[in-house]
């Protein structure tokens, strides 16, 4: 699936500024042009996406969650 195939209205391109790793869940702070967007995702996803401080990502915002995709 490509990023273009995802139907989410609010998408914010940004750079990861901070990652707080937990045993199961991790907190990702993304600096965007609109400000910092914070997402809580599984630590497994952080590792599988090879996310790190400085990674360029897109934050997909829905009313109940914020998702992350690596660029």
């Amino acid at each position: 699936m490509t990023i273009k195939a995802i139907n989410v209205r609010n998408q914010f391109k940004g750079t990861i500024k901070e990652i707080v790793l937990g045993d199961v869940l991790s907190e990702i702070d993304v600096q965007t042009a609109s400000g910092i967007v914070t997402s809580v995702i599984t630590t497994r996803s952080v590792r599988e996406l090879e996310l790190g401080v400085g990674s360029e990502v897109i934050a997909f915002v829905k009313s109940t969650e914020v998702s992350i995709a690596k660029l």
Side-chain angles (χ1 to χ4, degrees):
M1 177 185 306
T2 66
I3 292 173
K4 292 179 181 180
I6 298 172
N7 186 15
V8 178
R9 288 185 178 175
N10 299 315
Q11 300 180 20
F12 299 92
K13 183 177 178 182
T15 303
I16 294 178
K17 292 297 178 188
E18 183 178 7
I19 298 175
V20 179
L21 289 174
D23 292 335
V24 177
L25 296 174
S26 294
E27 183 177 316
I28 311 294
D29 288 341
V30 180
Q31 180 67 55
T32 72
S34 299
I36 293 180
V37 175
T38 301
S39 176
V40 176
I41 64 175
T42 64
T43 301
R44 180 179 182 172
S45 291
V46 173
R47 292 188 181 112
E48 288 178 356
L49 290 170
E50 298 178 352
L51 298 176
V53 172
S55 294
E56 290 187 36
V57 296
I58 296 178
F60 299 100
V61 180
K62 292 173 63 175
S63 61
T64 58
E65 66 184 58
V66 176
S67 302
I68 298 289
K70 187 173 182 181
L71 297 177

